[in-house]
Amino acid sequence: MHTATEERLIRPARNIFGSLRLPGDKSISHRYGMLAAFAEGVSRFSNFSTGADCASTLACMTQLGASVERKGDGLVEITGIGGHVGQPGAPLDCGNSGSTMRMLSGLLAAQSGEFTLVGDASLSRRPMERIRRPLEAMGARISLTEGHAPITIHGGPLKPIDFTTPVPSAQVKTCILLAGLQTPGVTTVREAIRTRDHSELALRAFGARLERNLDAGLNAVSITGSQTGTETGAQTLKAIDAAVPGDISSAAFFLCAAALFPGSQLLLEGLGLNPTRATLLDALTALGVRIAVLNLEEKHAELVGTVQVTAPENGLGGTEISGSLAAQLIDELPVLAAIAPWSRGGIRIRDAKELRVKESDRIALTVRNLRAMGAEVTEHEDGMDVPGGQQLHGATIDSGGDHRIAMAFSVTALRATGDTLIQGAESAAISFPEFFDLLDFVAER
Ligand code: S3P
């Protein structure tokens, strides 16, 4: 059971105005951190994620033999283990991080030995069958606890597979690719809906060879692996230096906050704009927000740019998010739902059942908290309907210890009548410890 430890009072704002540079993307930091720790040599990253989730990845990799030095100001230096994982003396603690647990399971399945991965109460409720199935098909033995963590991995030499993911999940895709990296032969992952491709880009940046086929209906990624230590040089990852782009999923809270206030203006510099992550910009455009992208560049194949947003003077329109859009916007749906009452046409969300198995049941919590603020909302098994044209009042919000719920309702609170109390506000630090300070910085009161 989660116990709320910190409450935050959010006062209404008049407008959102300013310019920000956000800490590094969580998804990219996990991957750079994990691959650098597994690679040969010393990698250096600037603007590495400051969130607790990525710290969990680094702590696990340290237990496996890598060395990690935080040099301050977002600089992280990682000395890798050159593909040879050490036996940890204790279970690997993934904290609240599904990415750490699922991706690391793939990396470890191909290593000889027994590894136990544990997580906090929320992570211990999340589905892990989705990684057990492909890893067992490759020959690893994976023991779950009623489909969940703790996970015990009996790893060793694997055989390649051709696997189609049953749910769109970049974590599952990455899990299989990291096992495939260390498995002789061609391992292929296919997905019906294209998920974020940071692993593919990061693996290439670290020197791995992989093939992508994006045309054939099912997006396919193939990696030709080699067993660690058997074919010297083949698929050995090599250290890199990189700047992590600003996190667009953290930016989502500020973009949506700006969208709430007619005439607001916000500039976000150095933001990650990978097309598999930037769907939010399309959703906001569909709602009538004006978005300009400036200074676009590519860093290790990740797009980075400056985003300028201006909210429409006549308020937001309405939109529907379903099908592949729902999968691509999965982390941004709570905050989009939370601003929907102030749109004219409302927001209808479908095909987002995965929201129920995130850090919390995000459909249930979003609906409950919107209702606490006086909103009319209809809950569906795979989404919700939030009608537009509603004015909400301040309320006590139960974040359920879920960072994205805490931040989404802090945004809604800016337009509510009266103050809002966010319970479990400390959870924002899972992805974005600076969130409340930066929100205060751009919110004009
Ligand atoms: C992530 C993938 C998504 C996303 C999560 C981060 C990643 O999860 O919701 O916040 O970094 O690969 P799924 O793989 O479960 O869809």
Side-chain angles (χ1 to χ4, degrees), residues 26-27 31 99 102 130 168-171 196 330-331 358 404:
K26 177 160 89 72
S27 290
R31 285 153 174 88
S99 299
R102 295 191 179 121
R130 52 183 67 184
S169 166
Q171 293 171 359
R196 61 191 72 190
I330 199 78
D331 291 340
K358 291 293 178 188
R404 297 203 200 280

Short mmCIF file of all heavy atoms in Angstrom, two decimals, residues 26-27 31 99 102 130 168-171 196 330-331 358 404, ligand 1:
data_model
loop_
_atom_site.label_atom_id
_atom_site.label_comp_id
_atom_site.label_asym_id
_atom_site.label_seq_id
_atom_site.Cartn_x
_atom_site.Cartn_y
_atom_site.Cartn_z
N LYS A 26 13.99 10.52 -19.94
CA LYS A 26 14.07 9.33 -19.07
C LYS A 26 14.33 8.08 -19.91
O LYS A 26 15.20 7.27 -19.58
CB LYS A 26 12.77 9.22 -18.28
CG LYS A 26 12.67 8.00 -17.39
CD LYS A 26 11.63 8.20 -16.31
CE LYS A 26 10.23 7.78 -16.71
NZ LYS A 26 10.05 6.32 -16.81
N SER A 27 13.57 7.90 -20.98
CA SER A 27 13.74 6.69 -21.80
C SER A 27 15.16 6.61 -22.38
O SER A 27 15.78 5.54 -22.37
CB SER A 27 12.74 6.69 -22.96
OG SER A 27 11.45 6.48 -22.48
N ARG A 31 18.44 3.91 -21.44
CA ARG A 31 19.13 3.12 -22.47
C ARG A 31 20.61 3.47 -22.52
O ARG A 31 21.46 2.58 -22.59
CB ARG A 31 18.46 3.35 -23.83
CG ARG A 31 17.12 2.59 -23.89
CD ARG A 31 16.15 3.24 -24.82
NE ARG A 31 14.94 2.47 -25.01
CZ ARG A 31 13.85 2.55 -24.23
NH1 ARG A 31 13.82 3.38 -23.19
NH2 ARG A 31 12.79 1.82 -24.48
N SER A 99 10.86 0.19 -16.87
CA SER A 99 11.88 0.15 -17.93
C SER A 99 13.11 -0.60 -17.43
O SER A 99 13.67 -1.45 -18.14
CB SER A 99 12.30 1.57 -18.34
OG SER A 99 11.21 2.28 -18.85
N ARG A 102 12.22 -4.49 -17.06
CA ARG A 102 11.98 -5.25 -18.30
C ARG A 102 13.20 -5.26 -19.20
O ARG A 102 13.54 -6.29 -19.79
CB ARG A 102 10.75 -4.69 -19.01
CG ARG A 102 9.47 -4.89 -18.19
CD ARG A 102 8.22 -4.59 -18.98
NE ARG A 102 7.01 -4.81 -18.21
CZ ARG A 102 6.09 -3.87 -17.94
NH1 ARG A 102 6.26 -2.63 -18.39
NH2 ARG A 102 5.01 -4.18 -17.25
N ARG A 130 4.72 -10.67 -20.07
CA ARG A 130 5.05 -10.20 -21.41
C ARG A 130 6.55 -10.31 -21.73
O ARG A 130 6.93 -10.32 -22.89
CB ARG A 130 4.55 -8.76 -21.61
CG ARG A 130 4.98 -7.81 -20.54
CD ARG A 130 4.40 -6.41 -20.71
NE ARG A 130 2.95 -6.36 -20.53
CZ ARG A 130 2.22 -5.27 -20.71
NH1 ARG A 130 2.80 -4.14 -21.09
NH2 ARG A 130 0.92 -5.28 -20.53
N PRO A 168 1.67 -3.29 -27.66
CA PRO A 168 2.75 -2.38 -28.07
C PRO A 168 3.57 -1.98 -26.84
O PRO A 168 3.02 -1.40 -25.91
CB PRO A 168 2.00 -1.17 -28.65
CG PRO A 168 0.59 -1.28 -28.18
CD PRO A 168 0.35 -2.70 -27.77
N SER A 169 4.84 -2.34 -26.82
CA SER A 169 5.68 -2.00 -25.67
C SER A 169 7.14 -1.90 -26.08
O SER A 169 7.75 -2.89 -26.50
CB SER A 169 5.54 -3.07 -24.57
OG SER A 169 6.58 -2.90 -23.62
N ALA A 170 7.69 -0.68 -25.93
CA ALA A 170 9.10 -0.48 -26.25
C ALA A 170 9.98 -1.20 -25.23
O ALA A 170 11.10 -1.60 -25.55
CB ALA A 170 9.42 1.01 -26.25
N GLN A 171 9.45 -1.37 -24.02
CA GLN A 171 10.25 -2.08 -23.00
C GLN A 171 10.41 -3.54 -23.37
O GLN A 171 11.49 -4.12 -23.25
CB GLN A 171 9.58 -1.94 -21.63
CG GLN A 171 9.59 -0.50 -21.13
CD GLN A 171 8.75 -0.29 -19.88
OE1 GLN A 171 8.12 -1.22 -19.38
NE2 GLN A 171 8.73 0.93 -19.38
N ARG A 196 8.29 3.63 -29.34
CA ARG A 196 9.48 4.48 -29.34
C ARG A 196 10.72 3.67 -29.73
O ARG A 196 10.88 2.53 -29.31
CB ARG A 196 9.64 5.17 -27.98
CG ARG A 196 9.81 4.24 -26.81
CD ARG A 196 9.69 4.98 -25.48
NE ARG A 196 8.30 5.37 -25.23
CZ ARG A 196 7.91 6.18 -24.26
NH1 ARG A 196 8.80 6.73 -23.46
NH2 ARG A 196 6.65 6.47 -24.07
N ILE A 330 0.84 7.33 -24.82
CA ILE A 330 0.41 6.65 -23.60
C ILE A 330 0.82 7.40 -22.32
O ILE A 330 0.03 7.53 -21.39
CB ILE A 330 0.87 5.16 -23.59
CG1 ILE A 330 0.05 4.36 -22.60
CG2 ILE A 330 2.35 5.00 -23.37
CD1 ILE A 330 -1.30 3.97 -23.09
N ASP A 331 2.04 7.95 -22.28
CA ASP A 331 2.49 8.63 -21.05
C ASP A 331 1.87 10.02 -20.91
O ASP A 331 1.86 10.59 -19.80
CB ASP A 331 4.02 8.75 -21.04
CG ASP A 331 4.70 7.40 -20.87
OD1 ASP A 331 4.03 6.45 -20.40
OD2 ASP A 331 5.89 7.28 -21.21
N LYS A 358 0.06 0.78 -15.72
CA LYS A 358 1.25 1.63 -15.57
C LYS A 358 1.59 1.71 -14.07
O LYS A 358 1.18 0.86 -13.29
CB LYS A 358 0.98 3.01 -16.18
CG LYS A 358 0.86 2.97 -17.70
CD LYS A 358 2.19 2.61 -18.33
CE LYS A 358 2.08 2.51 -19.85
NZ LYS A 358 3.31 1.97 -20.44
N ARG A 404 3.16 10.70 -12.81
CA ARG A 404 2.46 11.42 -13.88
C ARG A 404 1.08 11.90 -13.43
O ARG A 404 0.58 12.91 -13.93
CB ARG A 404 2.37 10.56 -15.14
CG ARG A 404 3.74 10.24 -15.71
CD ARG A 404 3.71 9.89 -17.18
NE ARG A 404 4.90 9.15 -17.56
CZ ARG A 404 6.09 9.70 -17.80
NH1 ARG A 404 6.26 11.00 -17.71
NH2 ARG A 404 7.12 8.95 -18.12
C1 S3P B 1 8.97 3.27 -21.98
C2 S3P B 1 7.98 2.61 -22.66
C3 S3P B 1 6.56 2.75 -22.32
C4 S3P B 1 6.32 4.00 -21.47
C5 S3P B 1 7.29 4.12 -20.35
C6 S3P B 1 8.71 4.20 -20.88
C7 S3P B 1 10.37 3.05 -22.41
O1 S3P B 1 6.15 1.61 -21.58
O2 S3P B 1 5.00 4.00 -20.99
O3 S3P B 1 7.03 5.29 -19.59
O4 S3P B 1 11.27 3.81 -21.99
O5 S3P B 1 10.60 2.12 -23.18
P1 S3P B 1 5.72 0.23 -22.28
O6 S3P B 1 6.91 -0.40 -22.90
O7 S3P B 1 5.15 -0.61 -21.16
O8 S3P B 1 4.68 0.61 -23.30
#
